[in-house]
């Protein structure tokens, strides 16, 4: 169903909750290999936990990439373990039909960005040459900075980042408070005595430096943005 077809359609379904972020009224629902991004009503009669099977009543609405559900009523049916996570490799990460699915991804942590309050921290990952964003709810930047450069395995809901025209930009990982991030290989120690590289070689085709590598460069600061970013 497209965004246009979904608008205003009545929704009455039973599915399993794989992520619940109370502060954002966010529920991710899954049944088989189909997932749905859902906004819960402001007040619910009973608490919802990841793994719960629920009946969702509401309406469909256009989302950023795929239709979403605006729930009027959420009724818990039973508790259950989370489904077996789908392993996401390059093929699965490029498959737009696998939207909002509970899965595992092996990746390298490239960057941690500030995100204040309960919205957690934003992480940038690389997995088999695919750059993707991940939000880890309930974690601060300070807790996660030590992961930059590490190879990790993440259990999360794999969704989509899109632009304002509904076009897919890449995968988006939504890691709940119960989500798992296991370090497979810790970051390599930074060697400050590494050879000095001309900045131009980092931008060249077939550069010897890869995404996430520690490098030693020298240049003139031409622009400062905030307290952690600058341009050479």
């Amino acid at each position: 169903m497209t965004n246009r077809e979904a608008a205003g359609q009545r929704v009455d379904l039973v599915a399993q909750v794989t992520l619940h972020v109370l502060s954002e009224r966010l529920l991710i629902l899954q049944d088989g290999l189909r997932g749905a991004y859902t906004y819960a009503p402001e007040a619910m009669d009973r608490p919802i936990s990841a793994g719960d099977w629920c009946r969702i009543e509401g309406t469909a609405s256009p989302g950023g990439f795929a239709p979403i559900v605006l729930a009027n009523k959420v009724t818990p049916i039973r508790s259950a373990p989370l489904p077996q996570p789908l392993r996401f490799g390059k093929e699965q990460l490029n498959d737009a039909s696998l939207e909002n699915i509970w899965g595992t991804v092996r990746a390298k942590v490239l960057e941690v960005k500030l995100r204040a309050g309960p919205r957690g921290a934003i992480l940038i990952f690389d997995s088999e040459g695919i750059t993707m964003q991940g939000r880890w709810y309930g974690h601060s930047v300070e807790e996660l900075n030590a992961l930059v450069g590490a190879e990790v395995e993440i259990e999360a809901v794999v969704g989509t980042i899109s632009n304002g025209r509904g076009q897919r930009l890449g995968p988006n990982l939504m890691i709940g408070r119960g989500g798992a991030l296991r370090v497979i290989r810790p970051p390599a120690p930074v060697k400050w005595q590494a050879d000095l590289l001309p900045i131009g070689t980092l931008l060249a085709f077939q550069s010897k430096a890869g995404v996430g590598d520690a490098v030693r460069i020298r240049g003139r600061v031409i622009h400062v943005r905030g307290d952690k970013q600058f341009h050479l």
Side-chain angles (χ1 to χ4, degrees), residues 179-191:
L181 189 149
R182 180 171 64 90
V183 176
I184 298 170
R185 185 178 294 115
V190 177
K191 298 178 181 178

Side-chain angles (χ1 to χ4, degrees), residues 107-164:
K108 185 174 185 177
V109 182
L110 303 181
E111 184 182 356
V112 179
K113 295 184 176 182
L114 178 64
R115 177 69 71 174
R119 293 174 65 84
I122 297 291
L123 297 92
I124 306 299
F125 300 98
D126 176 82
S127 179
E128 300 185 53
I130 298 174
T131 302
M132 55 192 173
Q133 174 180 290
R135 181 187 294 176
W136 200 347
Y137 294 94
H139 285 265
S140 68
V141 171
E142 289 71 21
E143 293 176 286
L144 302 177
N145 269 332
L147 292 173
V148 174
E151 290 188 27
V152 297
E153 185 171 78
I154 314 115
E155 279 194 353
V157 173
V158 183
T160 292
I161 300 174
S162 62
N163 60 19

Side-chain angles (χ1 to χ4, degrees), residues 187-198:
V190 177
K191 298 178 181 178
W192 294 112
Q193 299 305 313
D195 293 339
L196 190 66
L197 293 177

Side-chain angles (χ1 to χ4, degrees), residues 18-207:
T18 55
L19 178 69
H20 180 209
V21 183
L22 182 63
S23 60
E24 300 190 12
R25 296 167 47 204
L26 169 63
L27 293 171
I28 302 294
L29 307 173
Q30 182 173 329
D31 187 7
L33 288 180
R34 292 290 180 264
Y37 195 103
T38 303
Y39 283 109
E42 291 189 15
M44 290 189 288
D45 295 336
R46 293 165 57 187
I48 302 293
S49 300
D52 288 353
W53 282 85
C54 298
R55 181 182 178 186
I56 310 294
E57 300 170 75
T59 56
S61 178
F65 174 68
I68 63 174
V69 177
L70 304 179
N72 298 323
K73 186 177 181 180
V74 178
T75 306
I77 298 173
R78 61 183 173 88
S79 298
L82 284 163
Q84 184 70 24
L86 177 69
R87 183 164 293 279
F88 278 79
K90 189 171 186 177
E91 179 181 349
Q92 290 77 20
L93 289 170
N94 283 321
D95 187 345
S97 70
L98 296 174
E99 173 72 357
N100 296 320
I101 298 299
W102 180 248
T104 61
V105 184
R106 185 165 177 165
K108 185 174 185 177
V109 182
L110 303 181
E111 184 182 356
V112 179
K113 295 184 176 182
L114 178 64
R115 177 69 71 174
R119 293 174 65 84
I122 297 291
L123 297 92
I124 306 299
F125 300 98
D126 176 82
S127 179
E128 300 185 53
I130 298 174
T131 302
M132 55 192 173
Q133 174 180 290
R135 181 187 294 176
W136 200 347
Y137 294 94
H139 285 265
S140 68
V141 171
E142 289 71 21
E143 293 176 286
L144 302 177
N145 269 332
L147 292 173
V148 174
E151 290 188 27
V152 297
E153 185 171 78
I154 314 115
E155 279 194 353
V157 173
V158 183
T160 292
I161 300 174
S162 62
N163 60 19
R165 298 186 297 276
Q167 297 169 321
R168 190 175 194 266
L169 300 180
N172 178 48
L173 307 183
M174 292 171 277
I175 312 168
R177 292 176 182 271
L181 189 149
R182 180 171 64 90
V183 176
I184 298 170
R185 185 178 294 115
V190 177
K191 298 178 181 178
W192 294 112
Q193 299 305 313
D195 293 339
L196 190 66
L197 293 177
I199 291 177
T201 63
L202 299 179
L203 308 177
F205 180 65
Q206 293 184 333
S207 168

